[in-house]
C-alpha cells in the first residue's frame, strides 16, 4: 500500500505556499462523516441508533454514551473479552515533507527524528507558556507521520500548527485524514482482529502501526488504545467503516461500548482526559507527564515552551501542584469537587472521578499541592456538600494489559 486510502484535507507550510492562509481541500467523504446540524455525527451514527444507544454531546459530536447493556457491564466486558468503540470523532492527520520530523519536534515533545519506522508514542503539543494544548499519538508511518489529536480540537490545534508551519524554515505539509476510526480493545482483541487481518496483527508490538488489510479493506492499524487493555485502533475508509464494525460485532467476544464505559476504563488505567485532567495552563511536570519527554529532547529542547518545561525539570521547586490518583468510598467525587486535609485545609481539586467497576470503589484524579501528593496521604473530598474520605494512591489503578511481545 504505497498510497493512503483516505481522502485528505491539506495544510502546508508557508515555505511551500507564499500565502499565510491554510489551503483546504474538503473531500466528499469527510462531508458524509458529519451532520449538517449543530452536532456532528460520525459515519456510524445510524448503527448506534440501530443498536439502541443513548447519545449526548461530546466535543461537538453526537456520540453514544451507553447501550442497553449498560455502562458497568460494557466496562467489565471490555476487561474480560473485547469491546468495540467508535472513535471517529477523533482527528487523524498525516504530516509529510522531507523536514517533517524536524517540524514535529518543534510542535511536540517527541523524539521524532530517532523514532523507528512503524513505532509511535504518546506525546504533547505545548504552547509558549509550557502548557499542554493537546495530548496526541505520533507514529512514524514511513513516508509520513501519522498523528491523532483529540475530538473538537481542530479549531485549537490546527491554527497552532499552521502558525508554526508559517514560521518553519523547511518543507512540511499536513493533511487532515478523512476516515472512520474504530478501537477494538480487550484481552480477546488480537484473536478477533486476526480473523479479518491475519496473524501479523497478533505480532505487532505495543504502540506500533502499519498499513494492513482488514476484511480486504486497506486500513492503518495501530496497537494502542485508551482502556489499559491490549487492543488496536483502526483507520478505515469512511464508506467501509460500517461494514467492518458489523463484522467485528458479529464475533461472540465483541460488544459495542459507549463513551461512558470508555471514561471509566481510561480512568482505571490512569489515562488523562483532555479538558478534565489536562489543559493549556497545565505543564507536563504538573500533569506528571514528564515520561513523554525523552532524554534527547530534554538535552536539546527546541520545542514550543521548552524554556518553562525544562526549567521546571531543572528546578522542581517551581512546580507547586501535581496530578495524583485517589480511591475512596461512597459516592464518587466528580470534577470540580474540592479536596481538604482532615483538619479542613483546602489543598486540591478533583478533575475526574467515577465508580470503578473493576475495583468496586470510587477512583479519580486530582491536582493537589505537592506536599500532599505522596501515596497513602489521607484527604477528604467534598461531595454534594458532605466530606468523604479519600486516599492518594499510585496509578494506574488496574494492572495494564498492554501487549509487550
Amino acid at each position: 500500500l504505497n498510497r493512503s486510502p483516505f481522502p485528505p484535507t491539506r495544510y502546508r507550510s508557508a515555505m511551500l505556499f507564499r500565502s499565510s492562509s491554510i489551503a483546504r481541500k474538503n473531500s466528499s467523504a469527510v462531508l458524509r462523516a458529519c451532520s449538517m446540524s449543530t452536532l456532528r455525527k460520525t459515519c456510524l451514527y445510524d448503527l448506534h441508533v440501530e443498536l439502541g444507544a443513548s447519545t449526548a454531546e461530546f466535543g461537538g459530536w453526537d456520540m453514544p454514551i451507553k447501550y442497553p447493556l449498560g455502562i458497568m457491564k460494557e466496562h467489565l466486558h471490555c476487561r474480560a473479552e473485547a469491546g468495540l468503540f467508535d472513535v471517529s470523532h477523533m482527528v487523524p492527520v498525516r504530516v509529510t515533507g522531507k523536514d517533517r520530523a524536524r517540524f514535529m519536534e518543534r510542535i511536540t515533545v517527541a523524539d521524532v527524528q530517532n523514532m523507528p519506522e512503524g513505532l509511535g508514542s504518546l506525546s504533547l503539543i505545548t504552547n509558549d507558556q509550557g502548557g499542554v494544548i493537546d495530548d496526541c499519538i505520533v507514529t512514524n508511518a514511513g513516508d509520513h507521520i501519522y498523528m491523532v489529536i483529540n475530538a473538537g480540537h481542530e479549531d485549537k490545534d490546527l491554527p497552532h500548527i499552521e502558525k508554526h508551519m508559517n514560521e518553519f524554515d523547511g518543507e512540511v505539509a499536513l493533511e487532515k485524514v478523512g476516515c472512520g476510526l474504530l478501537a477494538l480493545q480487550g484481552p480477546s482483541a488480537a484473536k478477533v482482529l486476526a480473523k479479518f487481518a491475519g496473524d501479523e496483527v497478533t505480532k505487532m508490538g505495543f504502540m506500533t502501526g502499519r498499513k494492513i488489510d482488514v476484511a480486504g479493506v486497506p486500513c492503518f492499524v495501530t496497537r494502542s488504545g485508551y482502556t489499559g487493555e491490549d487492543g488496536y485502533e483502526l483507520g478505515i475508509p469512511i464508506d467501509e467503516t460500517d461494514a467492518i464494525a458489523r463484522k467485528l460485532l458479529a464475533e461472540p467476544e465483541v460488544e459495542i461500548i459507549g463513551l461512558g464505559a470508555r471514561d471509566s476504563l481510561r480512568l482505571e488505567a490512569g489515562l488523562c482526559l483532555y479538558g478534565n485532567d489536562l489543559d493549556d495552563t497545565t505543564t507536563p511536570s504538573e500533569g506528571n507527564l514528564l515520561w513523554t519527554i525523552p532524554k534527547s529532547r530534554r538535552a536539546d529542547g527546541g520545542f514550543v515552551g521548552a524554556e518553562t518545561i525544562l526549567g521546571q525539570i531543572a528546578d522542581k521547586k517551581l512546580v507547586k501542584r501535581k496530578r495524583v490518583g485517589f480511591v475512596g468510598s461512597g459516592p464518587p467525587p466528580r470534577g470540580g469537587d474540592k479536596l481538604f486535609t482532615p483538619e479542613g485545609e483546602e489543598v486540591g481539586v478533583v478533575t475526574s472521578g467515577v465508580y470503578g467497576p473493576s475495583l468496586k470503589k470510587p477512583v479519580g484524579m486530582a491536582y493537589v499541592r505537592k506536599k500532599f501528593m505522596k501515596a497513602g496521604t489521607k484527604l477528604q473530598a467534598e461531595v454534594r456538600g458532605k466530606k468523604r474520605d479519600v486516599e492518594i494512591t499510585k496509578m494506574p489503578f488496574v494492572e495494564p494489559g498492554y501487549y509487550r511481545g
Side-chain angles (χ1 to χ4, degrees):
L1 294 173
N2 295 320
R3 295 175 63 87
S4 169
F6 311 132
T9 299
R10 292 186 172 85
Y11 305 75
R12 294 182 184 271
S13 75
M15 295 301 294
L16 300 182
F17 289 125
R18 293 298 180 184
S19 168
S20 63
S21 64
I22 296 180
R24 289 181 171 88
K25 178 181 177 183
N26 291 319
S27 71
S28 60
V30 172
L31 294 176
R32 284 198 299 275
C34 303
S35 166
M36 298 305 290
S37 63
T38 302
L39 291 182
R40 292 184 284 179
K41 296 179 173 66
T42 76
C43 49
L44 291 182
Y45 181 80
D46 290 344
L47 177 60
H48 300 317
V49 173
E50 179 184 326
L51 295 174
S54 299
T55 69
E57 187 275 337
F58 183 83
W61 293 80
D62 193 358
M63 294 297 294
I65 303 303
K66 64 177 181 177
Y67 298 87
L69 187 62
I71 291 174
M72 185 171 296
K73 289 183 178 179
E74 290 174 25
H75 176 115
L76 294 173
H77 184 88
C78 184
R79 289 272 184 252
E81 290 283 357
L84 186 69
F85 304 75
D86 178 12
V87 291
S88 302
H89 58 313
M90 305 289 281
V91 186
V93 298
R94 182 168 51 239
V95 183
T96 58
K98 67 181 181 65
D99 300 307
R100 60 187 180 274
R102 183 164 61 87
F103 175 73
M104 289 297 295
E105 291 195 353
R106 176 60 182 157
I107 64 167
T108 75
V109 300
D111 184 2
V112 184
Q113 297 193 70
N114 293 313
M115 186 180 288
E117 182 174 343
L119 187 64
S121 69
L122 178 70
S123 193
L124 307 174
I125 302 173
T126 49
N127 60 26
D128 290 333
Q129 294 74 42
V132 178
I133 290 178
D134 204 358
D135 55 335
C136 58
I137 299 291
V138 177
T139 303
N140 179 0
D143 61 352
H144 68 279
I145 294 165
Y146 181 76
M147 178 169 67
V148 180
I149 59 180
N150 280 308
H153 278 222
E154 297 100 317
D155 294 340
K156 181 180 182 182
D157 293 6
L158 297 183
H160 173 81
I161 294 172
E162 176 197 10
K163 172 183 179 293
H164 287 283
M165 276 188 169
N166 291 335
E167 298 171 353
F168 185 62
D169 63 347
E171 183 180 313
V172 64
L174 181 144
E175 301 173 340
K176 184 179 172 184
V177 180
C179 69
L181 286 174
L182 294 177
L184 182 65
Q185 302 282 296
S188 299
K191 178 178 69 173
V192 170
L193 189 59
K195 295 180 182 180
F196 302 96
D199 287 341
E200 68 172 309
V201 296
T202 68
K203 300 169 185 173
M204 293 176 64
F206 179 57
M207 295 301 294
T208 62
R210 66 181 71 168
K211 297 172 185 176
I212 295 175
D213 282 5
V214 179
V217 176
C219 301
F220 191 80
V221 178
T222 59
R223 196 163 196 169
S224 60
Y226 192 52
T227 63
E229 297 294 335
D230 185 21
Y232 303 84
E233 294 189 349
L234 288 66
I236 307 169
I238 286 176
D239 291 343
E240 303 286 352
T241 306
D242 183 275
I244 289 180
R246 291 176 187 273
K247 288 177 180 178
L248 292 170
L249 287 171
E251 296 300 312
E253 300 91 345
V254 183
E255 286 283 354
I256 191 76
I257 312 292
L259 294 189
R262 191 169 186 249
D263 190 51
S264 56
L265 288 160
R266 70 91 189 169
L267 194 43
E268 286 187 347
L271 301 173
C272 295
L273 175 62
Y274 193 92
N276 284 39
D277 313 304
L278 293 174
D279 61 28
D280 52 16
T281 69
T282 303
T283 66
S285 289
E286 292 172 329
N288 266 328
L289 292 171
L290 290 181
W291 58 269
T292 64
I293 309 176
K295 289 182 179 180
S296 59
R297 301 311 314 279
R298 300 184 190 197
D300 59 28
F303 50 86
V304 178
E307 182 177 355
T308 296
I309 293 168
L310 298 182
Q312 289 186 346
I313 293 174
D315 185 357
K316 294 181 175 57
K317 293 179 182 178
L318 296 174
V319 179
K320 306 301 182 185
R321 62 176 184 146
K322 282 283 191 175
R323 179 174 63 93
V324 296
F326 66 82
V327 295
S329 60
R334 303 296 187 179
D337 289 346
K338 296 177 180 179
L339 293 177
F340 299 86
T341 65
E343 294 74 32
E345 180 186 4
E346 184 179 336
V347 296
V349 63
V350 175
T351 55
S352 288
V354 298
Y355 177 80
S358 306
L359 290 86
K360 297 182 173 59
K361 59 185 174 182
V363 298
M365 292 185 197
Y367 280 84
V368 298
R369 300 211 307 260
K370 281 176 62 178
K371 177 181 177 181
F372 302 95
M373 65 177 285
K374 187 176 179 181
T377 300
K378 310 287 188 182
L379 296 174
Q380 293 181 326
E382 189 172 59
V383 182
R384 303 172 192 167
K386 184 176 181 179
K387 290 184 178 178
R388 304 277 184 175
D389 291 337
V390 298
E391 181 177 330
I392 304 301
T393 187
K394 293 181 179 180
M395 294 184 286
F397 301 101
V398 295
E399 186 69 24
Y402 305 128
Y403 177 77
R404 301 294 185 181

